[in-house]
Amino acid sequence: MMDLHDYPLDVQNCTVEIESYGYTTKDVDMMWKNDTGSEGAVQGVENITLPQFEIKGHATLTTLEELATGKYKRLSLCFKLERNIGYFIFQTYLPSILIVMLSWVSFWINHEATSARVALGITTVLTMTTISTGVRSSLPRISYIKAIDIYLVMCFVFVFAALLEYAAVNYTYWGARAKKKVKKFKENFANKAEAELMNDIIEEEAVRMSPIPSLRNRHNSTRGAGDDTTPCRIQPSFRMISSGQRYAYPARPHMGKKPQNRRKLLQHFKTKAKAFRNSIPKIKDVNMIDKYSRLVFPLAFVLFNGIYWTYYSIPVEVECGKQ
């Protein structure tokens, strides 16, 4: 049974066994020619060529199997096969590397070009998905993870991270603009309300201090009538001072401890979220995200490739008769 954990950088052990199942060693005794091992018994191995493998060595083994019916001789010829990686370099690894590098092009595109960057990110993600599907379709459905699966998954992660990077840039840029608009609107609204209040106060003061008796009498009669019947005709600031009425609001029913605890818990989460949001460093220029990404993404991908190829390039010793 083949072990595909290191596929396609794996080394396989192919064994050819010759054994008599009907005659014991009393009837048939088998041995390798000249009893000199694989060098004298097996010839022409160096002339064999395989499309996907390269024969790195071979060995012979003689074993004696003891069963209930007697002892049987078994001759084993083991071939050490190393898979040729050239096909996978051009069909899988190199296209995946180019797709990952293509996703980095978006870091040099203006962040306001939304359609261009989103289209590039989605295209690279879908291309990596297609490559992964094509590779898996040519392999048996095994449960464990192979070496090529790790590489393709990491390439997909890098491509998807490049797409998320633009999402972060876009959110930071438009979020900052929205905050500025809200802040400006609040300032304008506060200034406008304050100006209207000052105008009302000046107008009331001018009417009260008017030298014309008719205006003063009309103002006093309006205030006197407003105290009892129409308090809405007087400005809110004067109404709060001059009106002697007291408004009683109905008491809220007892809500119980459970809603209070829920409100306290919600307030606690809000406080924690606000503290966490304040602890995050504020980015004044969104272009800094792209500048750091131009350096971080390539370095991380080079580091991953160095670890991957170093680990799977270590030669694996396969003993004859064992996987």
Side-chain angles (χ1 to χ4, degrees), residues 234-274:
I234 305 175
Q235 296 297 327
S237 58
F238 293 98
R239 197 183 312 138
M240 295 295 293
I241 297 173
S242 60
S243 178
Q245 299 180 4
R246 295 293 182 265
Y247 297 94
Y249 296 94
R252 299 184 63 181
H254 182 64
M255 301 299 293
K257 294 184 178 180
K258 187 174 181 180
Q260 292 180 0
N261 295 335
R262 187 178 301 172
R263 287 196 298 270
K264 290 182 180 180
L265 185 61
L266 183 61
Q267 185 67 27
H268 176 72
F269 282 136
K270 289 182 178 179
T271 305
K272 291 292 184 181
K274 186 177 180 180

Side-chain angles (χ1 to χ4, degrees), residues 6-301:
D6 296 340
Y7 177 88
L9 306 172
D10 54 338
V11 177
Q12 300 295 337
N13 180 18
C14 181
T15 305
V16 178
E17 296 181 346
I18 303 173
E19 182 179 354
S20 174
Y21 290 94
Y23 299 93
T24 62
T25 54
K26 295 179 180 179
D27 301 323
V28 177
D29 188 12
M30 296 184 296
M31 64 185 66
W32 291 106
K33 184 179 179 180
N34 298 329
D35 199 18
T36 56
S38 60
E39 296 296 333
V42 182
Q43 299 177 358
V45 177
E46 60 277 359
N47 299 325
I48 299 177
T49 57
L50 299 175
Q52 293 190 21
F53 294 93
E54 181 181 355
I55 300 177
K56 289 297 184 179
H58 61 280
T60 58
L61 183 65
T62 303
T63 56
L64 185 63
E65 299 292 334
E66 295 185 4
L67 303 177
T69 56
K71 298 180 180 180
Y72 298 87
K73 208 63 168 297
R74 177 184 297 175
L75 302 181
S76 301
L77 173 60
C78 303
F79 293 98
K80 184 179 180 181
L81 306 178
E82 184 177 351
R83 196 182 302 271
N84 294 325
I85 197 176
Y87 171 81
F88 300 95
I89 289 291
F90 291 101
Q91 293 294 325
T92 303
Y93 286 101
L94 187 58
S96 300
I97 293 174
L98 294 179
I99 292 300
V100 173
M101 296 176 65
L102 180 62
S103 66
W104 301 340
V105 177
S106 63
F107 301 152
W108 279 267
I109 301 177
N110 190 357
H111 60 270
E112 294 184 358
T114 305
S115 58
R117 295 189 65 164
V118 171
L120 181 60
I122 294 178
T123 302
T124 52
V125 169
L126 294 179
T127 305
M128 282 304 309
T129 305
T130 304
I131 294 176
S132 302
T133 304
V135 171
R136 293 189 182 95
S137 63
S138 60
L139 292 175
R141 296 181 180 180
I142 52 181
S143 59
Y144 51 83
I145 300 176
K146 303 175 292 296
I148 196 170
D149 293 335
I150 297 175
Y151 196 87
L152 292 177
V153 167
M154 290 303 300
C155 289
F156 185 85
V157 168
F158 276 99
V159 170
F160 192 72
L163 182 60
L164 292 182
E165 185 270 347
Y166 176 65
V169 170
N170 193 46
Y171 176 79
T172 304
Y173 176 70
W174 292 106
R177 292 190 61 178
K179 290 180 180 179
K180 289 181 180 179
K181 288 183 178 180
V182 171
K183 184 178 180 181
K184 187 176 181 180
F185 175 78
K186 289 182 178 180
E187 291 178 353
N188 293 337
F189 181 79
N191 295 334
K192 185 178 179 180
E194 185 178 355
E196 291 180 354
L197 180 61
M198 290 299 297
N199 291 334
D200 293 339
I201 295 175
I202 293 174
E203 183 179 356
E204 292 285 346
E205 187 68 19
V207 171
R208 188 175 65 85
M209 300 297 296
S210 176
I212 304 175
S214 60
L215 291 178
R216 289 201 306 270
N217 296 333
R218 186 184 304 171
H219 173 69
N220 294 331
S221 62
T222 303
R223 291 185 59 188
D227 290 341
D228 299 329
T229 58
T230 57
C232 295
R233 295 182 180 178
I234 305 175
Q235 296 297 327
S237 58
F238 293 98
R239 197 183 312 138
M240 295 295 293
I241 297 173
S242 60
S243 178
Q245 299 180 4
R246 295 293 182 265
Y247 297 94
Y249 296 94
R252 299 184 63 181
H254 182 64
M255 301 299 293
K257 294 184 178 180
K258 187 174 181 180
Q260 292 180 0
N261 295 335
R262 187 178 301 172
R263 287 196 298 270
K264 290 182 180 180
L265 185 61
L266 183 61
Q267 185 67 27
H268 176 72
F269 282 136
K270 289 182 178 179
T271 305
K272 291 292 184 181
K274 186 177 180 180
F276 176 75
R277 187 166 55 252
N278 294 332
S279 63
I280 299 177
K282 296 182 179 179
I283 301 175
K284 298 181 179 179
D285 187 9
V286 294
N287 292 322
M288 293 300 297
I289 301 178
D290 286 336
K291 290 181 181 179
Y292 284 116
S293 298
R294 296 169 192 170
L295 180 64
V296 172
F297 275 75
L299 288 180
F301 190 66

